[in-house]
Structure formats: C-alpha cells, structure tokens
Amino acid sequence: MQLNKNDAGEEAGRVDLPAWRGRAEKFETEVAKAVVGQSRVIRLLTIALFARGHVLLEGDVGVGKTTLLRAAARCVGGSYERIEGTIDLMPGDLVYHTYLAEDGRPRVDEGPVLRAGENLAIFFFNEINRARPQVHSLLLRLMAERTVTAFNREFRFPHLTVFADRNRVEREETFELPAAARDRFLMEIAIETPADAATRRGLAFDTRFHDTDRLIDSLAEGILPYDELNDIGSAIQSRVKTSEALERYVLDLWQAVRKPGDAGIEIPGVDTSRLVSAGASPRGLSYLVRAARVAAWLDGREIAVPEDVRAVFFETMAHRIFFEPVYEMRRETIARELIDRLFATVPVP
C-alpha cells in the first residue's frame, strides 16, 4: 500500500529508533565474529544498509569481501546472491539461464537476480568492470528502480542492496565504470588486510576461519529484518535533524572539493586549479547527508554534527570526484590528501 506524506510521517514516528540502534549494535557485533579486524568497514556497511544505498567495494583478493557480505546477509535474514563479471557475460545471464535437461529438452531457469524474488536482500557483483557496458546498464536499472523486466512481467526487489567489486589490478579486457555509474553508488568502501599482528595470526591459524560455511552458519540470523530496513531508514532520515550551520558547512565542503584551487587548497606536486575535471554531483551531496544522519543515529544523537559528515565523507565522495588524466593514475594518494586538506581548510562551525 502506498502511504501519503502524512501517513509516512506518522509511520516514521511510530518506529522505536533506540531499540533499532540496539539491534544495529548487535548486528555489528555478530558480523565482527566472522570478519575480524574490520570494525570501520562493518560500521560503514551498517550505515549503507540503513541509508538504503548501494556500495562499491575495493580491496585485494582474499581480504574477506564475500565473507563480509554473506555474514551481513545472514544477519539481515534475506537472500544473498552473487555473480562473477566476465567478458562474455550478457545482461540476460543475470535474470535467467538456459540448459538441456536430462530428457534432452531445453529448459529456462531463473537467474541469480530472480531466484529469490522479493526476498533478495544482498546482491554481490564480483569484478563488475570485467562485464560489458550492456550488463552495467541492467545493473544500474536494478539499483535505481529495484525492478527488472523478464518473461513479459516486471519483478520487484524492494529490499535489495547491491554490492559491486572492481578488479583494480588487471587492465586487459576490463570496462571501467563510467562516471554516471559510479555516482549511483552511495559509498566506495576499501577493505584492507588487517594490520594487527594478533588478528593476522588468528586468520591464519584459528580453524574457525577456515570453514566459511560453518562460520556463517554460526551467526545469529535476522537481527535486522531485511524487509523492515526501508521503514527504519525513512524514520532515521525523518527524525535526525541538521542545523543551519551544518548545512552551510556541507555546502562549503562541496564547493571546495569541486574547485580546490579557488578554496586555497595546496597539494605538493599538484596544480589544484587544474586537478578536478568533474566534482561531486547533487546526488552525491544528498547521499553524504543521508549517510551522516545514519552515523549520528548510530552514535545516539538526533542531530547530525560536523564529525558525522567527516566520518563518511571520504567513502561517499571520493569515488565521484574525477581528476584530470594527468593526475588520475595517482588517484588513491591524491584523493586522500585532497580530502585531508579540505578538512583542514574549510572552517568547522
């Protein structure tokens, strides 16, 4: 049933957000049993789930991306599906596959997107930049509208969150996501190998981490019911407020990151007046504010403060800032330094 504006406000007012914050803390604790040494990653994933945004993941092979998403899916109780990006993958491979059955007759079965129907909660597209732009287009529709059309009907996925990983090592036969596609993702979260020696030792020698299926099965199921996240996310956005000073701060950050030279930002070896070819979009700014509100709620506040904005700024904005080609090869280093100097330059209210 479609709620009107007043109904939606009343519905948001009835949500017990303090109780849900307790569930969110339990969710983080449970996921951390399977993915150790990644507390910040887990916090960002939690923010993305409640902000109802899709996520790009970045990290080397074997750092635990799939385990993280399987653990999250277990703890939200919905279905999890995964597909691998390949050069010959076609859009139809996401929604159906054909084969010859034992009786020799052709069969058509539902693909990974359709298999779980409306219960699909987390969809992982591994190495998305190995797939062709036609596949990207279907995924973007799935992300934007949470629907696909197949078999002459429309399928809806109202509770879906898409995660995608990019192969950033190999350049052959890859199709980098265009700016418009990257802008559709709420965040890009980097997952690195834990630096702590004790954590590394545990991952190598604790047999609990050697059987991923058993590890995931040991986690509590359905801590954050996936089919209620849309309502909780709306309630958070409705109840967590922003001040006029914070709004001015966000707009100042936006302006400065689009034109760092005009803002007086200096980076050694970089002409900041020619650094940025395209800055963050208005959609990116709205995603930043959505994520900051969730960060404030998770910390027990009903008003967002500058620390909330700064806590999510890099992950929500860096992947939608586009550098001139001469600087693009040093993106990782320059983006981090640009944002550090941005925080040091723009006055905090």
Side-chain angles (χ1 to χ4, degrees):
M1 180 178 69
Q2 184 70 38
L3 297 177
N4 62 39
K5 189 173 181 179
N6 290 335
D7 291 338
E10 291 174 5
E11 188 68 25
R14 288 195 290 270
V15 173
D16 186 353
L17 284 184
W20 271 90
R21 184 161 52 247
R23 289 190 184 192
E25 291 168 356
K26 187 176 179 183
F27 169 83
E28 292 183 333
T29 301
E30 202 68 13
V31 173
K33 293 178 182 176
V35 187
V36 295
Q38 302 287 1
S39 57
R40 175 165 171 75
V41 168
I42 295 171
R43 170 52 60 99
L44 291 168
L45 183 144
T46 307
I47 290 172
L49 286 175
F50 282 104
R52 307 305 299 135
H54 309 291
V55 176
L56 276 171
L57 296 176
E58 179 197 350
D60 294 335
V61 174
V63 293
K65 295 188 287 291
T66 302
T67 303
L68 171 71
L69 298 184
R70 288 186 62 192
R74 170 84 177 178
C75 294
V76 301
S79 293
Y80 164 83
E81 293 285 351
R82 165 183 170 139
I83 195 167
E84 301 288 331
T86 59
I87 186 70
D88 58 349
L89 188 73
M90 299 301 291
D93 295 329
L94 272 67
V95 294
Y96 66 86
H97 72 272
T98 58
Y99 63 98
L100 287 177
E102 293 180 353
D103 60 4
R105 294 185 176 183
R107 294 283 192 277
V108 179
D109 275 353
E110 295 163 331
V113 170
L114 298 186
R115 204 148 37 215
E118 293 194 1
N119 294 323
L120 182 58
I122 291 181
F123 183 76
F124 180 28
F125 201 125
N126 192 35
E127 298 198 355
I128 187 174
N129 57 338
R130 283 203 178 280
R132 293 178 178 276
Q134 299 94 317
V135 180
H136 297 169
S137 296
L138 179 62
L139 187 72
L140 292 179
R141 174 185 169 177
L142 180 64
M143 291 165 54
E145 303 176 13
R146 289 188 168 93
T147 64
V148 295
T149 302
F151 308 119
N152 297 319
R153 57 170 288 205
E154 184 179 78
F155 293 82
R156 298 177 63 252
F157 310 93
H159 314 297
L160 173 66
T161 302
V162 171
F163 292 81
D165 164 60
R166 286 188 291 165
N167 184 322
R168 304 192 65 167
V169 177
E170 300 169 45
R171 299 289 178 187
E172 296 291 331
E173 295 187 335
T174 59
F175 302 87
E176 190 51 70
L177 289 178
R182 286 162 63 175
D183 195 57
R184 303 289 181 90
F185 288 90
L186 170 75
M187 290 183 180
E188 182 169 34
I189 301 175
I191 304 178
E192 299 177 352
T193 303
D196 177 66
T199 303
R200 289 185 174 209
R201 184 171 183 164
L203 288 171
F205 294 100
D206 189 339
T207 55
R208 189 165 59 95
F209 299 112
H210 297 176
D211 186 338
T212 305
D213 291 339
R214 180 177 295 181
L215 181 64
I216 298 299
D217 288 344
S218 71
L219 304 180
E221 190 172 10
I223 298 170
L224 299 178
Y226 68 98
D227 53 355
E228 297 183 41
L229 289 177
N230 286 340
D231 290 340
I232 308 308
S234 296
I236 293 169
Q237 297 303 315
S238 173
R239 289 211 221 150
V240 177
K241 306 301 181 187
T242 56
S243 66
E244 188 175 331
L246 182 86
E247 292 168 7
R248 189 168 58 250
Y249 179 58
V250 169
L251 292 172
D252 288 346
L253 288 174
W254 188 27
Q255 179 63 22
V257 83
R258 290 173 64 88
K259 297 183 179 298
D262 293 352
I265 294 173
E266 296 181 353
I267 301 174
V270 175
D271 180 355
T272 53
S273 66
R274 301 177 56 196
L275 172 61
V276 176
S277 61
S281 67
R283 174 167 48 203
L285 200 69
S286 72
Y287 280 170
L288 170 68
V289 174
R290 281 168 55 180
R293 283 194 170 109
V294 177
W297 170 69
L298 287 172
D299 281 347
R301 290 188 298 277
E302 292 192 350
I303 183 166
V305 298
E307 286 74 14
D308 299 318
V309 174
R310 294 155 68 105
V312 297
F313 193 91
F314 186 86
E315 284 77 12
T316 54
M317 300 297 274
H319 66 286
R320 44 174 59 96
I321 301 170
F322 300 94
F323 295 150
E324 291 292 340
V326 68
Y327 297 116
E328 193 61 39
M329 291 298 290
R330 292 191 287 151
R331 151 170 291 278
E332 199 166 319
T333 302
I334 293 176
R336 178 64 70 179
E337 191 154 4
L338 171 63
I339 291 176
D340 286 346
R341 290 176 184 263
L342 178 74
F343 290 159
T345 303
V346 176
V348 180

